[in-house]
C-alpha cells in the first residue's frame, strides 16, 4: 500500500509504515491523481523537524485519519532536503494563503499539482475536518477550484519573481546626513 519503503531519504523512510498510502514525488502518483480525478495532498517535511514528527504520530499513524486521506486524495510525501524545488513552490503557496510558513507543510492540490489550499501543522481533529472541505469543494465546484488554482499559481509566480534594479542612483557623502 505505502510506497516509501524503497526510499533513500531518512524522512520518507520514517513514514514507510504509516497507514496513509504515501507515494514519493513522481509520475506514478501524478498519473493516479489524473486517472482517478482525485485531489493530491503534498506533505513536505524533514527528519529533524519536531512538528513533522508530532503530526505523523497524531495523524499519519492513525488508521481513521489515513482512511480519509486514502479515500479522497492521492498522498505524496516529500523530503524538503531532497526536493527543495518542490518545497519552494508549495512554501510560496502556504505563505500567500496564510501569511506564514513552516513544516510540516501540507498542501492540497488539483490533479495537475496546482495548489488550492495549504497550511503547516494541524492537530488531528482539525486535519480530519479540514480534509473534507477541499474534497467537497472540488467535487461540487470543480470550475471554481480550477479558477482559484489559476489565480494562486499566478500569485506564486509573481511572488517568486525577482525584479532587478535597472539603474543605480548616484549617492553623495551628503546623503547619509539627516536634515
Amino acid at each position: 500500500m505505502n510506497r516509501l519503503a524503497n526510499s533513500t531519504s531518512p524522512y520518507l523512510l520514517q513514514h514507510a509504515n504509516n497507514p496513509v498510502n504515501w507515494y514519493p514525488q513522481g509520475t506514478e502518483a501524478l498519473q493516479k491523481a489524473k486517472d482517478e480525478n482525485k485531489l493530491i495532498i503534498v506533505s513536505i517535511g524533514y527528519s529533524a523537524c519536531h512538528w513533522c514528527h508530532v503530526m505523523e504520530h497524531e495523524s499519519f499513524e492513525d488508521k481513521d485519519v489515513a482512511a480519509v486521506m486514502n479515500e479522497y486524495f492521492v498522498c505524496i510525501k516529500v523530503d524538503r532536503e531532497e526536493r527543495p524545488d518542490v518545497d519552494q513552490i508549495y512554501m510560496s503557496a502556504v505563505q500567500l494563503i496564510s501569511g506564514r510558513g513552516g513544516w510540516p507543510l501540507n498542501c492540497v492540490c488539483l490533479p495537475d499539482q496546482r495548489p488550492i489550499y495549504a497550511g503547516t501543522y494541524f492537530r488531528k481533529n482539525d486535519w480530519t475536518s479540514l480534509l473534507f472541505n477541499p474534497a467537497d469543494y472540488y467535487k461540487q465546484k470543480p470550475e471554481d477550484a480550477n479558477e482559484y488554482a489559476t489565480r494562486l499559481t499566478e500569485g506564486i509566480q509573481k511572488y517568486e519573481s525577482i525584479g532587478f534594479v535597472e539603474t543605480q542612483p548616484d549617492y553623495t557623502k551628503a546623503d547619509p546626513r539627516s536634515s
Side-chain angles (χ1 to χ4, degrees):
M1 181 160 91
N2 184 320
R3 289 163 174 77
L4 301 180
N6 294 325
S7 299
T8 57
S9 158
Y11 179 67
L12 297 184
L13 289 172
Q14 289 172 336
H15 293 271
N17 293 316
N18 295 164
V20 174
N21 189 14
W22 291 119
Y23 286 80
Q25 177 75 24
T27 56
E28 182 183 9
L30 302 176
Q31 191 60 53
K32 179 178 175 62
K34 288 178 185 175
D35 291 348
E36 297 179 14
N37 195 30
K38 278 188 169 181
L39 293 175
I40 299 168
I41 292 175
V42 177
S43 182
I44 304 171
Y46 58 103
S47 58
C49 171
H50 171 75
W51 290 107
C52 296
H53 294 292
V54 172
M55 190 162 180
E56 177 190 16
H57 178 67
E58 291 177 352
S59 297
F60 304 147
E61 291 178 353
D62 184 279
K63 289 180 181 172
D64 294 331
V65 174
V68 172
M69 292 174 69
N70 295 338
E71 173 75 21
Y72 295 102
F73 302 91
V74 173
C75 303
I76 298 174
K77 184 53 91 171
V78 176
D79 182 338
R80 70 176 289 266
E81 294 174 328
E82 284 193 341
R83 295 299 308 264
D85 55 328
V86 174
D87 179 61
Q88 179 61 43
I89 292 166
Y90 295 118
M91 183 58 73
S92 295
V94 77
Q95 289 172 337
L96 286 170
I97 290 168
S98 70
R100 58 181 165 255
W103 298 274
L105 193 165
N106 294 287
C107 199
V108 177
C109 305
L110 297 180
D112 64 6
Q113 301 180 74
R114 291 180 301 150
I116 59 171
Y117 183 79
T120 56
Y121 165 78
F122 295 95
R123 290 184 191 104
K124 176 184 166 181
N125 291 339
D126 295 339
W127 177 242
T128 306
S129 297
L130 174 132
L131 292 177
F132 290 109
N133 293 331
D136 187 56
Y137 177 64
Y138 182 62
K139 182 178 178 182
Q140 300 299 323
K141 298 181 179 185
E143 299 85 16
D144 290 354
N146 189 57
E147 183 182 327
Y148 181 77
T150 297
R151 288 193 328 262
L152 182 57
T153 301
E154 289 169 357
I156 292 168
Q157 290 167 344
K158 287 178 185 175
Y159 184 74
E160 292 187 346
S161 67
I162 299 172
F164 292 99
V165 176
E166 297 292 328
T167 60
Q168 189 69 27
D170 291 326
Y171 293 104
T172 66
K173 290 182 180 182
D175 289 330
R177 288 187 243 149
S178 60
S179 316

